[in-house]
Amino acid sequence: MTPTPGIPLKYLATPQNTKLAYAETTRAYVGLEDIESWSGRLLSGERSEPEGTVSLYEAGDVLFGKLRPYLAKVHLAEHSGACSTEALVLRARPVFSPAYLKYALLDPKRIDEINASTFGAQMPRASWDFIGNCKFSVPDLETQDSIVAFLDRETARIDELIAKKQRQMALLDQRARQAVSEIVMGHDRQTGSSIETGLDYMPRIPAHWMMRRAGHLFRQVGEPNTDDLPVLSVSIHTGISDRQLGDEERDRKVNLIEDRSSYKRVRPGYLAYNMMRAWQGAVGVSTVDGAVSPAYVVAKPISDLYSPYYQFLLRTPPFIEQMRQGSKGITDFRLRLYWEQFKLIMLPVPPLDEQKRIAQEAEHEISYAAQVTAKVSLSVERLKERRAALITAAVTGELDARQTAVVTTTKADRLKFRVVVGAEIIHRHQDNPKFGRVKLQKELYLAEAHVGISELQGNYLREAAGPLDRALIDETEKALETQGFYRARQQDGIGGAVRYTPLPKAGQHVVDLTSFLGPRMEALRNLISLLSDLDRRQVEAVATLYAVWNDALMDGKQPDDAAIISGVLTEWHAEKGEKFSEGDLRVRLAWMKRQGLVPRGQGPRTAHTMTRDMFS
């Protein structure tokens, strides 16, 4: 059925206007801040309870954030609940799938269209009058379901990879901060003698260091500002900025006073901290002449010291805690650290040349982590762009999801297929010394991509060892053992080769194999036989070549041998170039063609992890 063009949303979904005082309902509350932008997932963590009126919604309703619609807060409710009145509650009519409605609203072009209609400068909102008249194409319900199945699968892959990269960035930051903390507190100098300080937050220091109060090292100053000095800020992440705040930044971070005479001047080497956020680490040392808010404390070094060392020191957890303890106020958001309390904090004083060396080492750690994080962050943004482009292409009909959507199976059905296919692969490879976990993973991928056992529903990443879905292999191995077929074991411990020990029901999976696979059973057995003589390295090369080739076909390309091989060596994973030469891959690719192991542009697409385009 051809999509019906241009039907206004008000004829496809109805807004729900049931409102109630939150005190009068027992429903769980969802605020706009609880909905993740662009994905629609509910964020984990404790949710605040609102005061006043809330909107009620039911399972299957779609919530759309009217406030700041550019944030793309769109959520498909799985359960009934209460939400902010800033969310538009939409109930799809029978002709419109709720899940399809969610994706149609997440189309970036649609978000831009709605955002352009907002009113209110400080709190921009969109109205139902406008949103309801936005026109949507409406394919038939079967096509909508195909689009939803495709987008659920593809966005899940991308979201998994984004989450992995975000964990990498958090770990990089954590490691860098830990390294800096050890460096500035002298913990990395284990060879020399140390002395006790009597302080619980810094019990020992190198014997040649001293301890002094901050007031003996710095003096509070209030030098007058001039109008031509740039306005700087102190960040909890990066210290003092080295450039003028832009208008948008200034509006967000400081209350700009037209008469800048009350601003405080900072010079290179001056220490400054935000009185209201010192307990969060908002302290730094200026590298330029500038001016800071009256809410900041500015201090000038009065001893022979290297100020950047103290910037790194004061941003470590033990000293942030000292600033928190010295702050005055009833609650965190009202805490203030005044100079009278700051000057009492005991600080270590290494020799001057050592302060400089430590600061350089700390800067190196931070800079290196920042460079790597910037590359990973760029790849995350490109993944998000890819996610958005997929949604647009699917809901506008630019991409025919019916040709790419996977057959929908329940989680229980998926597990059944994983067990019987995994058991068949292991059964056929019994007593094969070349068989192990890596080979099982690659054959599961090829069983799905080449044989067409789409019910396996793998989410394969472009990892160092080829197409890899860790969750698939973990789930398969656990189920094989639980159901009494095979047990995975590493005789040589973690890191050693994995072998599969038969259990009492080994071989009995054949009872279900025919009914589950039908004519695909013979194709699976032919694949297993074809790969039986390949060792781990060879099967990795075959699976990777197949995936690169298959992905290109799904993108509408017809790659030649050179393009396929280049895709493995330069667009898969950094380790591929170390493992394989062009000659190795050319030999293996020729073997695949002779054996008929040639992709058809069907099945699962592999998701990028490390590619040139993401890191360039």
Side-chain angles (χ1 to χ4, degrees):
M1 176 179 175
T2 304
T4 304
I7 298 181
L9 183 59
K10 62 186 177 183
Y11 299 126
L12 303 171
T14 55
Q16 304 302 299
N17 296 311
T18 305
K19 293 181 170 55
L20 197 65
Y22 187 66
E24 298 177 22
T25 178
T26 58
R27 295 190 178 197
Y29 175 75
V30 173
L32 292 184
E33 67 278 6
D34 300 317
I35 301 173
E36 185 176 56
S37 293
W38 295 105
S39 77
R41 289 191 300 264
L42 293 183
L43 298 170
S44 59
E46 185 176 351
R47 298 194 182 113
S48 60
E49 293 194 356
E51 296 180 358
T53 304
V54 295
S55 295
L56 302 185
Y57 62 85
E58 306 299 332
D61 288 345
V62 175
L63 312 184
F64 180 85
K66 297 180 293 182
L67 177 66
R68 298 188 179 95
Y70 58 83
L71 294 175
K73 302 279 189 173
V74 184
H75 172 63
L76 173 59
E78 296 181 2
H79 311 282
S80 61
C83 65
S84 166
T85 55
E86 296 291 0
L88 184 65
V89 179
L90 296 175
R91 186 163 300 164
R93 295 182 184 272
V95 72
F96 222 29
S97 159
Y100 182 79
L101 171 59
K102 178 194 75 172
Y103 281 120
L105 287 169
L106 279 172
D107 175 5
K109 293 181 180 178
R110 183 69 65 192
I111 293 293
D112 288 344
E113 177 188 6
I114 295 173
N115 187 56
S117 74
T118 57
F119 55 91
Q122 296 299 319
M123 304 283 279
R125 289 179 177 81
S127 70
W128 170 244
D129 287 343
F130 181 86
I131 298 172
N133 282 299
C134 290
K135 295 181 179 180
F136 289 74
S137 63
V138 186
D140 60 76
L141 284 172
E142 183 179 353
T143 302
Q144 290 181 40
D145 290 342
S146 296
I147 291 171
V148 168
F150 169 76
L151 289 175
D152 282 348
R153 175 186 174 89
E154 294 300 315
T155 58
R157 293 181 187 211
I158 295 172
D159 290 342
E160 180 182 351
L161 188 51
I162 288 173
K164 177 180 177 181
K165 289 179 178 292
Q166 289 172 334
R167 290 193 296 271
Q168 290 175 345
M169 290 190 287
L171 185 59
L172 277 168
D173 180 69
Q174 179 183 346
R175 288 177 174 174
R177 290 178 182 274
Q178 181 61 32
V180 169
S181 182
E182 292 178 359
I183 292 170
V184 299
M185 298 181 73
H187 294 168
D188 64 327
R189 290 158 176 77
Q190 302 292 339
T191 55
S193 60
S194 62
I195 57 174
E196 294 184 357
T197 64
L199 302 170
D200 57 357
Y201 61 92
M202 194 171 186
R204 303 188 71 85
I205 58 172
H208 62 290
W209 289 18
M210 298 183 295
M211 296 293 295
R212 293 287 185 272
R213 294 195 184 277
H216 294 156
L217 303 176
F218 296 91
R219 173 170 56 86
Q220 184 181 22
V221 294
E223 298 180 18
N225 172 45
T226 60
D227 289 339
D228 59 341
L229 288 175
V231 175
L232 311 178
S233 68
V234 182
S235 165
I236 63 175
H237 302 292
T238 57
I240 296 183
S241 61
D242 59 1
R243 60 179 178 83
Q244 166 83 35
L245 282 177
D247 291 340
E248 183 178 344
E249 292 176 296
R250 189 166 55 219
D251 290 342
R252 186 175 72 251
K253 295 180 179 180
V254 298
N255 292 321
L256 181 62
I257 302 171
E258 290 300 329
D259 179 6
R260 293 192 184 183
S261 62
S262 61
Y263 276 58
K264 300 176 181 179
R265 179 169 187 168
V266 291
R267 300 177 186 270
Y270 280 20
L271 183 78
Y273 67 83
N274 185 331
M275 284 192 292
M276 295 176 287
R277 302 191 71 191
W279 61 277
Q280 294 178 298
V283 58
V285 169
S286 183
T287 59
V288 297
D289 283 308
V292 294
S293 163
Y296 294 177
V297 169
V298 178
K300 174 183 179 180
I302 56 176
S303 298
D304 193 13
L305 55 82
Y306 188 63
S307 298
Y309 165 76
Y310 289 95
Q311 170 177 262
F312 291 115
L313 180 76
L314 290 166
R315 292 164 66 83
T316 60
F319 286 92
I320 290 175
E321 175 59 20
Q322 290 306 298
M323 290 189 286
R324 189 194 69 78
Q325 291 183 15
S327 298
K328 304 296 184 181
I330 301 174
T331 59
D332 284 349
F333 69 89
R334 292 188 180 276
L335 289 178
R336 303 287 188 276
L337 179 62
Y338 299 100
W339 174 253
E340 287 71 20
Q341 282 71 47
F342 177 82
K343 71 180 183 180
L344 299 178
I345 298 174
M346 295 294 293
L347 304 175
V349 185
L352 183 60
D353 60 343
E354 196 167 343
Q355 291 180 35
K356 294 179 180 179
R357 179 164 53 83
I358 290 173
Q360 290 172 353
E361 291 176 9
E363 180 60 40
H364 174 75
E365 291 286 348
I366 296 294
S367 297
Y368 175 76
Q371 290 171 11
V372 177
T373 297
K375 292 180 179 179
V376 179
S377 179
L378 179 59
S379 71
V380 167
E381 291 307 310
R382 287 177 172 164
L383 282 168
K384 289 179 178 179
E385 291 171 3
R386 178 183 172 190
R387 189 185 197 282
L390 272 176
I391 293 174
T392 297
V395 301
T396 59
E398 296 173 18
L399 180 152
D400 189 351
R402 291 172 299 181
Q403 301 300 317
T404 53
V406 177
V407 175
T408 303
T409 62
T410 66
K411 186 173 182 180
D413 288 339
R414 181 188 72 183
L415 183 59
K416 290 177 184 177
F417 276 87
R418 290 181 176 187
V419 168
V420 297
V421 174
E424 176 69 5
I425 293 171
I426 295 171
H427 178 68
R428 295 279 164 179
H429 282 299
Q430 282 296 297
D431 303 320
N432 183 351
K434 297 179 180 179
F435 182 72
R437 177 179 283 160
V438 170
K439 197 164 183 176
L440 173 61
Q441 170 69 88
K442 304 315 154 210
E443 292 191 19
L444 283 168
Y445 163 73
L446 289 169
E448 183 170 359
H450 187 67
V451 179
I453 309 176
S454 58
E455 295 89 346
L456 293 173
Q457 291 192 327
N459 289 311
Y460 302 96
L461 302 181
R462 292 190 166 195
E463 294 286 7
L468 175 62
D469 181 346
R470 289 185 176 86
L472 180 152
I473 201 71
D474 289 345
E475 183 179 274
T476 302
E477 287 182 347
K478 289 176 182 176
L480 285 169
E481 181 172 356
T482 300
Q483 297 182 31
F485 292 114
Y486 297 95
R487 176 182 294 123
R489 62 183 179 86
Q490 289 177 291
Q491 190 170 358
D492 299 326
I494 297 174
V498 175
R499 296 289 182 259
Y500 295 93
T501 304
L503 297 176
K505 291 179 63 178
Q508 296 181 26
H509 69 281
V510 178
V511 175
D512 293 323
L513 194 64
T514 303
S515 62
F516 277 30
L517 297 187
R520 294 177 293 177
M521 182 182 72
E522 194 61 32
L524 174 63
R525 288 179 170 174
N526 289 338
L527 173 71
I528 296 170
S529 176
L530 179 64
L531 300 175
S532 61
D533 289 335
L534 301 188
D535 60 23
R536 168 179 170 167
R537 184 172 179 276
Q538 291 168 333
V539 79
E540 175 187 332
V542 167
T544 310
L545 286 163
Y546 190 100
V548 169
W549 191 354
N550 197 46
D551 287 354
L553 291 175
M554 284 193 281
D555 289 336
K557 303 174 183 176
Q558 293 293 332
D560 57 16
D561 289 2
I564 296 169
I565 292 168
S566 175
V568 173
L569 296 176
T570 65
E571 296 180 0
W572 188 275
H573 191 283
E575 291 188 17
K576 289 301 183 189
E578 301 169 4
K579 288 183 179 180
F580 302 108
S581 68
E582 182 179 339
D584 294 332
L585 297 176
R586 197 170 291 280
V587 168
R588 198 48 53 192
L589 188 58
W591 175 87
M592 291 169 61
K593 291 181 177 180
R594 290 196 304 272
Q595 302 300 329
L597 191 56
V598 175
R600 298 178 291 276
Q602 300 175 1
R605 183 191 299 272
T606 57
H608 291 270
T609 54
M610 299 171 62
T611 65
R612 289 182 303 172
D613 62 309
M614 287 183 181
F615 286 87
S616 60

